[in-house]
Amino acid sequence: MGWNSRNNQTPEKEIESYLVSRITDLGGMCPKWTSPGTKGVPDRIVFMPEGLVVFVELKREKGGRISPMQKWREKQLSSLGQKVFFIHTREQVDMLVSDLMKGQIPNEL
């Protein structure tokens, strides 16, 4: 876990580890989502007590580009009533966790 020396930003993997740690500490699960043959799925599925489920795509803070396939997949999941978040910072992780701790899924981050 280091800093990207070219632009001094938190690497995506560090933000991902932070998300997993925070969710696990709350008694939830945050498995990596891999779906062979299905492109553009979010990186993680967050399962919380009381049946709260959200999907998270992690990106680095600056320059973390969301691909057209990822945008399409987000629309597809949203049309099925699922919530997808694109998270770029630890602060966004904290905002998500804050709402999940209240038993709520945020509208946006």
Side-chain angles (χ1 to χ4, degrees):
M1 289 192 264
W3 289 87
N4 183 330
S5 61
R6 289 181 294 148
N7 51 22
N8 200 30
Q9 63 179 320
T10 307
E12 181 179 318
K13 288 291 180 194
E14 189 174 314
I15 297 167
E16 187 171 16
S17 294
Y18 183 66
L19 170 71
V20 172
S21 174
R22 292 292 317 270
I23 295 300
T24 303
D25 287 349
L26 293 175
M29 289 176 51
C30 193
K32 189 146 191 76
W33 186 10
T34 57
S35 184
T38 307
K39 294 183 179 185
V41 297
D43 295 318
R44 297 280 175 167
I45 306 172
V46 176
F47 298 102
M48 294 298 293
E50 307 300 323
L52 294 176
V53 177
V54 298
F55 297 85
V56 176
E57 174 63 35
L58 294 134
K59 296 291 182 186
R60 59 190 159 129
E61 187 171 357
K62 295 180 183 168
R65 189 177 74 76
I66 300 165
S67 74
M69 179 56 81
Q70 289 170 326
K71 289 177 187 175
W72 183 86
R73 190 66 65 196
E74 185 270 336
K75 283 184 179 181
Q76 181 189 43
L77 290 168
S78 293
S79 75
L80 296 170
Q82 304 304 310
K83 196 68 177 174
V84 179
F85 295 101
F86 295 98
I87 291 184
H88 299 262
T89 66
R90 284 176 172 242
E91 290 78 19
Q92 288 177 310
V93 170
D94 291 338
M95 290 187 310
L96 174 63
V97 166
S98 176
D99 279 353
L100 292 175
M101 286 173 58
K102 298 173 194 170
Q104 302 171 350
I105 296 175
N107 289 325
E108 59 183 44
L109 295 178

Short mmCIF file of all heavy atoms in Angstrom, two decimals, residues 43-92:
data_model
loop_
_atom_site.label_atom_id
_atom_site.label_comp_id
_atom_site.label_asym_id
_atom_site.label_seq_id
_atom_site.Cartn_x
_atom_site.Cartn_y
_atom_site.Cartn_z
N ASP A 43 -17.01 -4.18 -8.63
CA ASP A 43 -15.94 -4.90 -7.95
C ASP A 43 -16.41 -5.71 -6.76
O ASP A 43 -15.94 -6.82 -6.52
CB ASP A 43 -14.85 -3.92 -7.45
CG ASP A 43 -14.14 -3.22 -8.59
OD1 ASP A 43 -13.82 -3.88 -9.59
OD2 ASP A 43 -13.91 -2.00 -8.45
N ARG A 44 -17.32 -5.14 -5.96
CA ARG A 44 -17.71 -5.74 -4.69
C ARG A 44 -19.22 -5.72 -4.50
O ARG A 44 -19.91 -4.81 -4.99
CB ARG A 44 -17.09 -4.99 -3.51
CG ARG A 44 -15.57 -5.01 -3.46
CD ARG A 44 -15.10 -6.30 -2.88
NE ARG A 44 -13.63 -6.42 -2.91
CZ ARG A 44 -12.98 -7.33 -2.24
NH1 ARG A 44 -13.62 -8.20 -1.47
NH2 ARG A 44 -11.67 -7.39 -2.32
N ILE A 45 -19.72 -6.73 -3.80
CA ILE A 45 -21.11 -6.76 -3.35
C ILE A 45 -21.06 -6.61 -1.83
O ILE A 45 -20.33 -7.34 -1.16
CB ILE A 45 -21.81 -8.08 -3.69
CG1 ILE A 45 -21.71 -8.38 -5.19
CG2 ILE A 45 -23.27 -8.03 -3.25
CD1 ILE A 45 -22.22 -9.76 -5.57
N VAL A 46 -21.81 -5.66 -1.30
CA VAL A 46 -21.85 -5.43 0.14
C VAL A 46 -23.15 -6.01 0.68
O VAL A 46 -24.23 -5.61 0.26
CB VAL A 46 -21.76 -3.92 0.46
CG1 VAL A 46 -21.90 -3.68 1.96
CG2 VAL A 46 -20.45 -3.33 -0.06
N PHE A 47 -23.01 -6.98 1.59
CA PHE A 47 -24.14 -7.59 2.28
C PHE A 47 -24.10 -7.14 3.73
O PHE A 47 -23.10 -7.37 4.41
CB PHE A 47 -24.06 -9.12 2.24
CG PHE A 47 -24.09 -9.72 0.87
CD1 PHE A 47 -22.92 -10.15 0.27
CD2 PHE A 47 -25.28 -9.86 0.19
CE1 PHE A 47 -22.94 -10.73 -0.98
CE2 PHE A 47 -25.32 -10.44 -1.07
CZ PHE A 47 -24.14 -10.87 -1.66
N MET A 48 -25.18 -6.53 4.19
CA MET A 48 -25.26 -6.07 5.57
C MET A 48 -26.42 -6.75 6.28
O MET A 48 -27.35 -7.25 5.63
CB MET A 48 -25.48 -4.55 5.60
CG MET A 48 -24.31 -3.75 5.06
SD MET A 48 -22.80 -3.95 6.00
CE MET A 48 -23.24 -3.17 7.54
N PRO A 49 -26.38 -6.78 7.62
CA PRO A 49 -27.52 -7.30 8.36
C PRO A 49 -28.80 -6.59 7.95
O PRO A 49 -28.76 -5.47 7.41
CB PRO A 49 -27.16 -7.00 9.82
CG PRO A 49 -25.66 -6.94 9.83
CD PRO A 49 -25.29 -6.35 8.50
N GLU A 50 -29.91 -7.21 8.21
CA GLU A 50 -31.24 -6.67 7.87
C GLU A 50 -31.50 -6.66 6.37
O GLU A 50 -32.39 -5.96 5.89
CB GLU A 50 -31.44 -5.26 8.45
CG GLU A 50 -31.17 -5.13 9.92
CD GLU A 50 -32.06 -6.02 10.78
OE1 GLU A 50 -33.24 -6.20 10.45
OE2 GLU A 50 -31.56 -6.55 11.78
N GLY A 51 -30.70 -7.39 5.59
CA GLY A 51 -30.97 -7.55 4.16
C GLY A 51 -30.52 -6.40 3.26
O GLY A 51 -30.92 -6.35 2.10
N LEU A 52 -29.71 -5.50 3.78
CA LEU A 52 -29.20 -4.41 2.94
C LEU A 52 -28.13 -4.95 2.01
O LEU A 52 -27.17 -5.59 2.45
CB LEU A 52 -28.62 -3.29 3.79
CG LEU A 52 -29.59 -2.52 4.67
CD1 LEU A 52 -28.84 -1.50 5.52
CD2 LEU A 52 -30.64 -1.82 3.83
N VAL A 53 -28.28 -4.67 0.72
CA VAL A 53 -27.31 -5.11 -0.28
C VAL A 53 -27.05 -3.95 -1.23
O VAL A 53 -27.99 -3.32 -1.73
CB VAL A 53 -27.83 -6.31 -1.09
CG1 VAL A 53 -26.84 -6.71 -2.17
CG2 VAL A 53 -28.13 -7.49 -0.18
N VAL A 54 -25.77 -3.65 -1.46
CA VAL A 54 -25.38 -2.65 -2.45
C VAL A 54 -24.18 -3.18 -3.23
O VAL A 54 -23.47 -4.07 -2.78
CB VAL A 54 -25.04 -1.27 -1.83
CG1 VAL A 54 -26.24 -0.67 -1.12
CG2 VAL A 54 -23.85 -1.35 -0.90
N PHE A 55 -23.98 -2.61 -4.40
CA PHE A 55 -22.86 -2.98 -5.26
C PHE A 55 -21.91 -1.80 -5.34
O PHE A 55 -22.35 -0.64 -5.40
CB PHE A 55 -23.37 -3.32 -6.67
CG PHE A 55 -24.29 -4.51 -6.68
CD1 PHE A 55 -25.64 -4.37 -6.41
CD2 PHE A 55 -23.79 -5.77 -6.96
CE1 PHE A 55 -26.49 -5.47 -6.40
CE2 PHE A 55 -24.62 -6.87 -6.96
CZ PHE A 55 -25.98 -6.72 -6.68
N VAL A 56 -20.61 -2.08 -5.33
CA VAL A 56 -19.61 -1.02 -5.31
C VAL A 56 -18.56 -1.25 -6.39
O VAL A 56 -17.96 -2.32 -6.46
CB VAL A 56 -18.91 -0.92 -3.93
CG1 VAL A 56 -17.81 0.11 -3.95
CG2 VAL A 56 -19.93 -0.62 -2.84
N GLU A 57 -18.35 -0.23 -7.21
CA GLU A 57 -17.25 -0.20 -8.17
C GLU A 57 -16.25 0.80 -7.62
O GLU A 57 -16.59 1.96 -7.35
CB GLU A 57 -17.75 0.24 -9.55
CG GLU A 57 -16.65 0.43 -10.57
CD GLU A 57 -15.89 -0.85 -10.90
OE1 GLU A 57 -16.50 -1.94 -10.92
OE2 GLU A 57 -14.67 -0.76 -11.14
N LEU A 58 -15.03 0.35 -7.42
CA LEU A 58 -13.99 1.21 -6.84
C LEU A 58 -13.10 1.77 -7.94
O LEU A 58 -12.73 1.05 -8.88
CB LEU A 58 -13.17 0.42 -5.83
CG LEU A 58 -14.03 0.02 -4.63
CD1 LEU A 58 -13.81 -1.41 -4.28
CD2 LEU A 58 -13.77 0.93 -3.48
N LYS A 59 -12.77 3.05 -7.79
CA LYS A 59 -11.90 3.74 -8.74
C LYS A 59 -10.93 4.62 -7.96
O LYS A 59 -11.23 5.06 -6.86
CB LYS A 59 -12.72 4.64 -9.68
CG LYS A 59 -13.68 3.89 -10.57
CD LYS A 59 -12.93 3.09 -11.60
CE LYS A 59 -13.86 2.36 -12.53
NZ LYS A 59 -13.15 1.49 -13.44
N ARG A 60 -9.79 4.87 -8.57
CA ARG A 60 -8.88 5.83 -7.92
C ARG A 60 -9.50 7.22 -8.00
O ARG A 60 -10.36 7.48 -8.84
CB ARG A 60 -7.49 5.78 -8.55
CG ARG A 60 -7.46 6.08 -9.99
CD ARG A 60 -6.07 5.76 -10.54
NE ARG A 60 -6.21 5.59 -11.98
CZ ARG A 60 -5.48 6.20 -12.87
NH1 ARG A 60 -4.51 6.99 -12.49
NH2 ARG A 60 -5.69 6.01 -14.14
N GLU A 61 -9.04 8.08 -7.11
CA GLU A 61 -9.69 9.38 -6.94
C GLU A 61 -9.63 10.24 -8.20
O GLU A 61 -10.63 10.80 -8.62
CB GLU A 61 -9.05 10.14 -5.78
CG GLU A 61 -9.76 11.42 -5.45
CD GLU A 61 -9.27 12.05 -4.17
OE1 GLU A 61 -8.41 11.48 -3.49
OE2 GLU A 61 -9.77 13.13 -3.85
N LYS A 62 -8.47 10.33 -8.80
CA LYS A 62 -8.33 11.15 -10.01
C LYS A 62 -7.96 10.25 -11.17
O LYS A 62 -7.03 9.46 -11.09
CB LYS A 62 -7.25 12.21 -9.80
CG LYS A 62 -7.64 13.22 -8.74
CD LYS A 62 -6.57 14.25 -8.54
CE LYS A 62 -6.99 15.18 -7.42
NZ LYS A 62 -5.93 16.04 -6.97
N GLY A 63 -8.71 10.37 -12.23
CA GLY A 63 -8.42 9.58 -13.42
C GLY A 63 -9.03 8.20 -13.42
O GLY A 63 -8.82 7.44 -14.35
N GLY A 64 -9.77 7.87 -12.37
CA GLY A 64 -10.43 6.56 -12.31
C GLY A 64 -11.65 6.56 -13.23
O GLY A 64 -12.72 6.94 -12.82
N ARG A 65 -11.43 6.17 -14.47
CA ARG A 65 -12.45 6.26 -15.51
C ARG A 65 -13.47 5.13 -15.40
O ARG A 65 -13.12 3.98 -15.22
CB ARG A 65 -11.76 6.21 -16.88
CG ARG A 65 -12.64 6.51 -18.04
CD ARG A 65 -11.87 6.51 -19.35
NE ARG A 65 -11.51 5.17 -19.80
CZ ARG A 65 -12.35 4.30 -20.36
NH1 ARG A 65 -13.61 4.63 -20.51
NH2 ARG A 65 -11.94 3.12 -20.77
N ILE A 66 -14.73 5.48 -15.53
CA ILE A 66 -15.81 4.50 -15.56
C ILE A 66 -16.07 4.16 -17.02
O ILE A 66 -16.37 5.05 -17.82
CB ILE A 66 -17.07 5.05 -14.87
CG1 ILE A 66 -16.75 5.40 -13.41
CG2 ILE A 66 -18.22 4.06 -14.97
CD1 ILE A 66 -17.78 6.27 -12.75
N SER A 67 -15.95 2.90 -17.36
CA SER A 67 -16.10 2.50 -18.76
C SER A 67 -17.57 2.53 -19.18
O SER A 67 -18.48 2.44 -18.34
CB SER A 67 -15.55 1.09 -18.96
OG SER A 67 -16.43 0.12 -18.41
N PRO A 68 -17.82 2.63 -20.48
CA PRO A 68 -19.20 2.58 -20.96
C PRO A 68 -19.92 1.29 -20.52
O PRO A 68 -21.11 1.32 -20.20
CB PRO A 68 -19.06 2.64 -22.48
CG PRO A 68 -17.77 3.39 -22.70
CD PRO A 68 -16.88 2.94 -21.56
N MET A 69 -19.21 0.16 -20.49
CA MET A 69 -19.82 -1.10 -20.06
C MET A 69 -20.20 -1.04 -18.59
O MET A 69 -21.26 -1.53 -18.19
CB MET A 69 -18.87 -2.27 -20.31
CG MET A 69 -19.43 -3.61 -19.86
SD MET A 69 -21.03 -4.04 -20.57
CE MET A 69 -20.52 -4.65 -22.15
N GLN A 70 -19.36 -0.42 -17.76
CA GLN A 70 -19.69 -0.29 -16.34
C GLN A 70 -20.90 0.62 -16.14
O GLN A 70 -21.76 0.35 -15.30
CB GLN A 70 -18.49 0.25 -15.55
CG GLN A 70 -17.39 -0.77 -15.42
CD GLN A 70 -16.11 -0.17 -14.86
OE1 GLN A 70 -15.77 0.98 -15.12
NE2 GLN A 70 -15.39 -0.98 -14.10
N LYS A 71 -21.00 1.68 -16.93
CA LYS A 71 -22.17 2.57 -16.85
C LYS A 71 -23.43 1.81 -17.28
O LYS A 71 -24.48 1.95 -16.65
CB LYS A 71 -21.97 3.80 -17.75
CG LYS A 71 -20.93 4.76 -17.23
CD LYS A 71 -20.73 5.90 -18.19
CE LYS A 71 -19.57 6.77 -17.75
NZ LYS A 71 -19.27 7.82 -18.73
N TRP A 72 -23.31 1.02 -18.32
CA TRP A 72 -24.45 0.24 -18.78
C TRP A 72 -24.88 -0.77 -17.72
O TRP A 72 -26.06 -0.94 -17.45
CB TRP A 72 -24.11 -0.47 -20.10
CG TRP A 72 -25.28 -1.23 -20.64
CD1 TRP A 72 -26.28 -0.74 -21.44
CD2 TRP A 72 -25.60 -2.60 -20.39
NE1 TRP A 72 -27.20 -1.74 -21.70
CE2 TRP A 72 -26.81 -2.89 -21.07
CE3 TRP A 72 -24.99 -3.62 -19.66
CZ2 TRP A 72 -27.40 -4.15 -21.05
CZ3 TRP A 72 -25.59 -4.87 -19.64
CH2 TRP A 72 -26.77 -5.13 -20.32
N ARG A 73 -23.89 -1.45 -17.12
CA ARG A 73 -24.19 -2.45 -16.09
C ARG A 73 -24.87 -1.79 -14.88
O ARG A 73 -25.79 -2.34 -14.30
CB ARG A 73 -22.92 -3.18 -15.67
CG ARG A 73 -23.14 -4.38 -14.80
CD ARG A 73 -23.84 -5.52 -15.48
NE ARG A 73 -23.03 -6.05 -16.57
CZ ARG A 73 -23.51 -6.84 -17.52
NH1 ARG A 73 -24.77 -7.20 -17.52
NH2 ARG A 73 -22.73 -7.27 -18.48
N GLU A 74 -24.43 -0.58 -14.52
CA GLU A 74 -25.05 0.16 -13.41
C GLU A 74 -26.52 0.45 -13.74
O GLU A 74 -27.40 0.27 -12.89
CB GLU A 74 -24.29 1.46 -13.15
CG GLU A 74 -24.78 2.24 -11.95
CD GLU A 74 -25.88 3.23 -12.25
OE1 GLU A 74 -26.00 3.68 -13.41
OE2 GLU A 74 -26.65 3.56 -11.32
N LYS A 75 -26.79 0.86 -14.96
CA LYS A 75 -28.18 1.11 -15.37
C LYS A 75 -29.01 -0.17 -15.32
O LYS A 75 -30.16 -0.17 -14.90
CB LYS A 75 -28.23 1.70 -16.77
CG LYS A 75 -27.87 3.15 -16.84
CD LYS A 75 -28.02 3.69 -18.24
CE LYS A 75 -27.67 5.15 -18.29
NZ LYS A 75 -27.83 5.72 -19.62
N GLN A 76 -28.41 -1.27 -15.76
CA GLN A 76 -29.10 -2.56 -15.75
C GLN A 76 -29.47 -2.96 -14.31
O GLN A 76 -30.59 -3.35 -14.03
CB GLN A 76 -28.23 -3.64 -16.40
CG GLN A 76 -28.89 -5.00 -16.44
CD GLN A 76 -27.96 -6.10 -16.88
OE1 GLN A 76 -26.81 -6.14 -16.45
NE2 GLN A 76 -28.45 -6.96 -17.75
N LEU A 77 -28.50 -2.88 -13.40
CA LEU A 77 -28.75 -3.24 -12.01
C LEU A 77 -29.76 -2.29 -11.37
O LEU A 77 -30.63 -2.72 -10.61
CB LEU A 77 -27.44 -3.27 -11.22
CG LEU A 77 -26.49 -4.42 -11.57
CD1 LEU A 77 -25.12 -4.19 -10.96
CD2 LEU A 77 -27.07 -5.75 -11.13
N SER A 78 -29.65 -1.01 -11.69
CA SER A 78 -30.60 -0.02 -11.15
C SER A 78 -32.01 -0.32 -11.62
O SER A 78 -32.97 -0.16 -10.85
CB SER A 78 -30.20 1.39 -11.57
OG SER A 78 -28.99 1.76 -10.95
N SER A 79 -32.17 -0.75 -12.87
CA SER A 79 -33.51 -1.07 -13.39
C SER A 79 -34.13 -2.26 -12.66
O SER A 79 -35.34 -2.45 -12.69
CB SER A 79 -33.46 -1.34 -14.89
OG SER A 79 -32.89 -2.61 -15.16
N LEU A 80 -33.28 -3.05 -11.99
CA LEU A 80 -33.75 -4.18 -11.20
C LEU A 80 -33.91 -3.83 -9.72
O LEU A 80 -34.08 -4.70 -8.88
CB LEU A 80 -32.78 -5.36 -11.35
CG LEU A 80 -32.67 -5.93 -12.77
CD1 LEU A 80 -31.50 -6.91 -12.86
CD2 LEU A 80 -33.97 -6.59 -13.19
N GLY A 81 -33.79 -2.53 -9.43
CA GLY A 81 -33.98 -2.06 -8.06
C GLY A 81 -32.74 -2.15 -7.19
O GLY A 81 -32.84 -2.01 -5.98
N GLN A 82 -31.58 -2.36 -7.81
CA GLN A 82 -30.34 -2.47 -7.05
C GLN A 82 -29.61 -1.13 -7.05
O GLN A 82 -29.75 -0.34 -7.97
CB GLN A 82 -29.45 -3.55 -7.65
CG GLN A 82 -30.11 -4.91 -7.73
CD GLN A 82 -30.63 -5.39 -6.40
OE1 GLN A 82 -29.92 -5.39 -5.41
NE2 GLN A 82 -31.89 -5.80 -6.37
N LYS A 83 -28.82 -0.90 -6.02
CA LYS A 83 -28.06 0.34 -5.89
C LYS A 83 -26.59 0.07 -6.17
O LYS A 83 -25.99 -0.84 -5.57
CB LYS A 83 -28.24 0.91 -4.47
CG LYS A 83 -27.84 2.32 -4.33
CD LYS A 83 -28.78 3.23 -5.10
CE LYS A 83 -28.38 4.67 -4.86
NZ LYS A 83 -29.10 5.62 -5.63
N VAL A 84 -26.01 0.85 -7.07
CA VAL A 84 -24.59 0.73 -7.44
C VAL A 84 -23.91 2.05 -7.12
O VAL A 84 -24.40 3.11 -7.50
CB VAL A 84 -24.41 0.40 -8.94
CG1 VAL A 84 -22.94 0.30 -9.29
CG2 VAL A 84 -25.16 -0.88 -9.31
N PHE A 85 -22.77 1.97 -6.42
CA PHE A 85 -22.00 3.16 -6.09
C PHE A 85 -20.64 3.09 -6.75
O PHE A 85 -19.99 2.04 -6.74
CB PHE A 85 -21.82 3.30 -4.57
CG PHE A 85 -23.11 3.52 -3.86
CD1 PHE A 85 -23.74 2.49 -3.19
CD2 PHE A 85 -23.70 4.77 -3.85
CE1 PHE A 85 -24.95 2.68 -2.54
CE2 PHE A 85 -24.91 4.99 -3.20
CZ PHE A 85 -25.53 3.94 -2.54
N PHE A 86 -20.19 4.22 -7.29
CA PHE A 86 -18.84 4.36 -7.79
C PHE A 86 -18.08 5.13 -6.73
O PHE A 86 -18.37 6.29 -6.47
CB PHE A 86 -18.82 5.11 -9.13
CG PHE A 86 -19.52 4.35 -10.23
CD1 PHE A 86 -20.83 4.64 -10.56
CD2 PHE A 86 -18.87 3.34 -10.91
CE1 PHE A 86 -21.48 3.94 -11.57
CE2 PHE A 86 -19.50 2.62 -11.92
CZ PHE A 86 -20.81 2.92 -12.25
N ILE A 87 -17.14 4.46 -6.07
CA ILE A 87 -16.43 5.04 -4.93
C ILE A 87 -14.98 5.32 -5.32
O ILE A 87 -14.29 4.44 -5.82
CB ILE A 87 -16.52 4.11 -3.70
CG1 ILE A 87 -17.97 4.10 -3.20
CG2 ILE A 87 -15.55 4.54 -2.61
CD1 ILE A 87 -18.20 3.31 -1.94
N HIS A 88 -14.56 6.57 -5.04
CA HIS A 88 -13.23 7.02 -5.40
C HIS A 88 -12.35 7.37 -4.20
O HIS A 88 -11.15 7.56 -4.37
CB HIS A 88 -13.33 8.28 -6.28
CG HIS A 88 -14.06 8.08 -7.56
ND1 HIS A 88 -13.43 7.86 -8.75
CD2 HIS A 88 -15.39 8.06 -7.83
CE1 HIS A 88 -14.33 7.71 -9.71
NE2 HIS A 88 -15.52 7.83 -9.17
N THR A 89 -12.95 7.51 -3.00
CA THR A 89 -12.19 7.98 -1.84
C THR A 89 -12.60 7.25 -0.57
O THR A 89 -13.69 6.67 -0.49
CB THR A 89 -12.42 9.49 -1.59
OG1 THR A 89 -13.79 9.68 -1.21
CG2 THR A 89 -12.07 10.33 -2.81
N ARG A 90 -11.75 7.33 0.45
CA ARG A 90 -12.07 6.81 1.78
C ARG A 90 -13.27 7.55 2.36
O ARG A 90 -14.07 6.97 3.08
CB ARG A 90 -10.88 6.96 2.72
CG ARG A 90 -9.78 5.96 2.47
CD ARG A 90 -8.61 6.28 3.40
NE ARG A 90 -7.61 5.23 3.32
CZ ARG A 90 -7.25 4.48 4.34
NH1 ARG A 90 -7.77 4.67 5.53
NH2 ARG A 90 -6.35 3.53 4.18
N GLU A 91 -13.37 8.83 2.08
CA GLU A 91 -14.48 9.63 2.59
C GLU A 91 -15.81 9.10 2.06
O GLU A 91 -16.80 9.05 2.80
CB GLU A 91 -14.30 11.11 2.22
CG GLU A 91 -13.17 11.80 2.96
CD GLU A 91 -11.77 11.47 2.40
OE1 GLU A 91 -11.67 11.01 1.23
OE2 GLU A 91 -10.79 11.67 3.13
N GLN A 92 -15.84 8.68 0.80
CA GLN A 92 -17.06 8.10 0.25
C GLN A 92 -17.37 6.76 0.92
O GLN A 92 -18.54 6.44 1.16
CB GLN A 92 -16.95 7.93 -1.26
CG GLN A 92 -17.02 9.25 -2.01
CD GLN A 92 -16.83 9.05 -3.50
OE1 GLN A 92 -15.88 8.40 -3.95
NE2 GLN A 92 -17.74 9.61 -4.27
#
